[in-house]
Amino acid sequence: MNEYHNTPVSVVTGGAGALGSAISRRFAQGGDTVILLDNNADAVRTVARTLSDETGAQVLGWVVDIADEESIRLAVKRIDEDFGRLDRLVNNAAINPRARLANVDDAEWDTAMAVNLRGPMSLCRSAVPIWSRTGSGRVVNITSRTWLSGGPTAYVTSKAGVVGLTRSLAVELGPLGVTTNAVAPSMVVTPFTQGGRTDDEFALFVDRHTRMSPLGRLATADDIVDAVEFLTSDRATFITGEVLHVCGGAQLAAAP
């Protein structure tokens, strides 16, 4: 038996990105075996190696296409064969095509739904046999405060769908001992939010989102990680089907 079978196994999708790697680092610091799933082969392996060196935990970087059902199925099969458990699953991978309605491309729309919405469903569906056997698990889906406010059509629609998925999974997976919750962040400065914007556009974007919060600042990656850590911990065993907004009050639609 693999020596790590006796340690919790945490899986983070989009694990090579800024937020995914921050979540993964926190799990590794707690002694978990952490598996990063990402479609960027070089990045996910580099991040996994770095986190393993930093924390001393077993951190693995696997190349998985979250939009592809077979890729997901094979990854979960490998998790089951190698570890026999899946204690924490954080569905963090996402893409954000920013086209407005008049310019939405059907292919971009379908890809956003496949990555942001179908991917989390597929991962949970594939993990049902593991959870049925182990009788426990924690799922956290990363959505966005924009599910309340609107925004880029494909992205916001998919993130609103993640909220509905979260509630449905809470009902269906609860009898297996699995809690399912969502974390809805406001804007965090990362390459994901800066991508496709000029420096001037991004500065205006940051200023607008800073003024949205009654607390007068942006969210940090650690703010999001703290929420994820709580919802996947033993302190949250009776919390399921919830959406935890980590927005500094911006979810209240405060005027910018």
Side-chain angles (χ1 to χ4, degrees), residues 179-226:
T179 63
T180 308
N181 294 286
V183 169
S186 54
M187 197 277 258
V188 182
V189 175
T190 66
F192 179 81
T193 54
Q194 189 164 11
R197 293 185 169 97
T198 67
D199 288 345
D200 287 343
E201 289 171 340
F202 192 62
L204 290 172
F205 187 68
V206 167
D207 179 66
R208 180 165 65 88
H209 280 80
T210 301
R211 288 185 287 116
M212 281 182 183
S213 168
L215 299 181
R217 71 169 177 87
L218 297 178
T220 67
D222 280 344
D223 291 325
I224 315 308
V225 173
D226 287 343

Side-chain angles (χ1 to χ4, degrees), residues 87 131-132 134-138 172-180 237:
D87 299 272
W131 292 326
S132 296
T134 61
S136 65
R138 304 281 178 265
E172 291 206 33
L173 298 179
L176 303 182
V178 177
T179 63
T180 308
T237 57

Side-chain angles (χ1 to χ4, degrees), residues 20 48 61 65 78 83 131 136 145 147 149 158 172 202 210 212:
D65 181 358
R78 183 178 174 188
F83 303 102
W131 292 326
S136 65
R145 67 163 290 278
W147 83 277
S149 66
S158 67
E172 291 206 33
F202 192 62
T210 301
M212 281 182 183

